[in-house]
Amino acid sequence: MKKLISLLILIVFFGGTFLFWGEIVDTADFFKELFWGLPEVEKETTSLVEEVEKQILAPEPLRALQEAPVSLLTQAGVIQWTNVQREERGLAPLRESKDLNAAALLKAKDILAGQYFEHISPSGEGVKDLVELVGYEFIAIGENLALGNFKDDQALVQGWMDSPGHRANILNQQYQEIGVAVLQIEFEGRSTWLAVQHFGLPLSACPRPSEDLEAEIIENREQLESLQAALSGLKEEIESMKPKRGEAYSQKVEEYNQMVNRYNALLSVTQDLIDQYNLQVLSYNECADIP
């Protein structure tokens, strides 16, 4: 899975920080044209949700190989036996998600209404569309489907475990949440059970870069631009002064140097903030870069 489109804030120091003037000097020799660089934020305007390349795992739907004379499936039991399989292998149990439960139920009802048994509906909707419909933001999502009169929840989950693709979803260590729907339906002219599992790694699992930190960087940049404009005006004023000596000239040079101090101090603080922001972006990228 690809990393986020880069959100790194790139600082370009063209000529570095402002230079100090000396006291009462000939600007023809000392004051040279400076090329001042300001912090530039280079980031995509698309939201993080859209920038993450979402991973969707949906193995071929499973039909029961053997039909039990008496069959009963439950939502809670399917979740329980799924977590039993994970815990037996040292994996963290999955948290039940109301949103994923809702998406799984939408899928089950759509299969019943459309009388199809595929991950993609006749209208072209898949698990991604369903989870987004219920407002579930994710990095990775998986769907297991099963149809048939399995004896019970344990037998159903074992049927998925005996299928490599479904087993991979159940034991996928990146998933944190699960939703399940089970319905007894009329399908292909007979009464049978339909089961839907939705697995998810929610977007909230990855720490987003701080919006407050980004706002502070942008505010500092605006202040830097304002100081730059003021320094440019002072530069022109000092260059036009004649003679380049005396109390008035020295005061202007001192005013300029004090403003340079302010600019350089703010620039240094802003660089530190940008470094912090970039570390947060890298952390988000590492979290979202699911193999």
Side-chain angles (χ1 to χ4, degrees), residues 124-140:
E125 292 182 331
V127 59
K128 174 179 179 292
D129 304 293
L130 294 173
V131 298
E132 289 181 347
L133 184 62
V134 300
Y136 187 80
E137 295 181 344
F138 68 94
I139 294 171

Side-chain angles (χ1 to χ4, degrees), residues 139 201-208 283-284 286-290:
I139 294 171
L201 174 63
L203 186 66
S204 59
C206 292
R208 293 171 180 249
S283 176
Y284 186 94
E286 289 175 359
C287 177
D289 188 25
I290 306 299

Side-chain angles (χ1 to χ4, degrees), residues 79-99:
I79 294 174
Q80 175 190 349
W81 282 104
T82 297
N83 279 331
V84 166
Q85 295 290 345
R86 291 176 63 89
E87 290 171 341
E88 285 180 351
R89 292 159 178 81
L91 299 175
L94 300 171
R95 300 187 303 270
E96 184 176 356
S97 163
K98 292 181 179 179
D99 287 338

Side-chain angles (χ1 to χ4, degrees), residues 17 23 33 42 52 57 74 97 123 152 155 157 160 166-167 172 180 184 201-202 214 242 253 269 272 281 286 290:
T17 55
E23 290 286 345
E33 187 69 26
E42 297 184 3
V52 176
L57 300 177
T74 67
S97 163
S123 60
D152 52 25
V157 173
W160 274 324
H166 300 91
R167 178 189 178 93
N172 194 323
V180 169
Q184 192 169 27
L201 174 63
E214 180 185 358
K242 293 182 180 179
V253 169
V269 168
D272 289 341
V281 172
E286 289 175 359
I290 306 299

Side-chain angles (χ1 to χ4, degrees), residues 43-257:
K43 61 173 288 185
E44 299 294 326
T45 57
T46 312
S47 70
L48 295 181
V49 177
E50 294 170 336
E51 287 172 352
V52 176
E53 182 184 348
K54 298 170 181 178
Q55 185 181 67
I56 303 170
L57 300 177
E60 188 71 20
L62 176 70
R63 289 179 181 260
L65 297 178
Q66 295 181 344
E67 299 282 323
V70 178
S71 176
L72 177 63
L73 300 180
T74 67
Q75 181 190 56
V78 173
I79 294 174
Q80 175 190 349
W81 282 104
T82 297
N83 279 331
V84 166
Q85 295 290 345
R86 291 176 63 89
E87 290 171 341
E88 285 180 351
R89 292 159 178 81
L91 299 175
L94 300 171
R95 300 187 303 270
E96 184 176 356
S97 163
K98 292 181 179 179
D99 287 338
L100 291 182
N101 279 340
L105 184 58
L106 286 176
K107 180 63 176 179
K109 289 182 175 180
D110 193 59
I111 289 175
L112 172 60
Q115 291 291 293
Y116 70 95
F117 188 52
E118 301 290 342
H119 289 289
I120 304 299
S121 72
S123 60
E125 292 182 331
V127 59
K128 174 179 179 292
D129 304 293
L130 294 173
V131 298
E132 289 181 347
L133 184 62
V134 300
Y136 187 80
E137 295 181 344
F138 68 94
I139 294 171
I141 202 80
E143 181 178 76
N144 282 352
L145 301 178
L147 185 70
N149 291 316
F150 297 86
K151 178 182 177 182
D152 52 25
D153 302 321
Q154 183 180 8
L156 166 63
V157 173
Q158 187 59 53
W160 274 324
M161 288 294 292
D162 292 338
S163 167
H166 300 91
R167 178 189 178 93
N169 262 342
I170 290 173
L171 301 182
N172 194 323
Q173 62 182 351
Q174 68 181 311
Y175 293 140
Q176 295 182 358
E177 298 181 336
I178 187 173
V180 169
V182 292
L183 292 179
Q184 192 169 27
I185 65 173
E186 290 294 322
F187 188 82
E188 296 177 343
R190 68 188 184 96
S191 177
T192 188
W193 282 91
L194 170 67
V196 180
Q197 279 182 318
H198 282 173
F199 305 91
L201 174 63
L203 186 66
S204 59
C206 292
R208 293 171 180 249
S210 168
E211 293 182 359
D212 290 341
L213 187 56
E214 180 185 358
E216 186 174 359
I217 291 169
I218 292 173
E219 181 181 352
N220 285 3
R221 177 186 173 185
E222 292 173 352
Q223 292 182 35
L224 287 167
E225 290 173 344
S226 178
L227 285 170
Q228 183 188 36
L231 283 164
S232 296
L234 270 177
K235 168 184 177 289
E236 293 177 2
E237 185 178 352
I238 293 171
E239 284 186 323
S240 66
M241 291 181 69
K242 293 182 180 179
K244 291 182 171 45
R245 61 182 60 87
E247 183 177 354
Y249 179 78
S250 297
Q251 288 178 349
K252 284 295 179 182
V253 169
E254 179 61 23
E255 181 182 353
Y256 179 87
N257 284 342

Side-chain angles (χ1 to χ4, degrees), residues 19 27-28 30-36 232 235-236 239:
L19 300 180
T27 55
F30 185 82
F31 192 93
K32 298 180 180 178
E33 187 69 26
L34 297 177
F35 191 64
W36 297 314
S232 296
K235 168 184 177 289
E236 293 177 2
E239 284 186 323

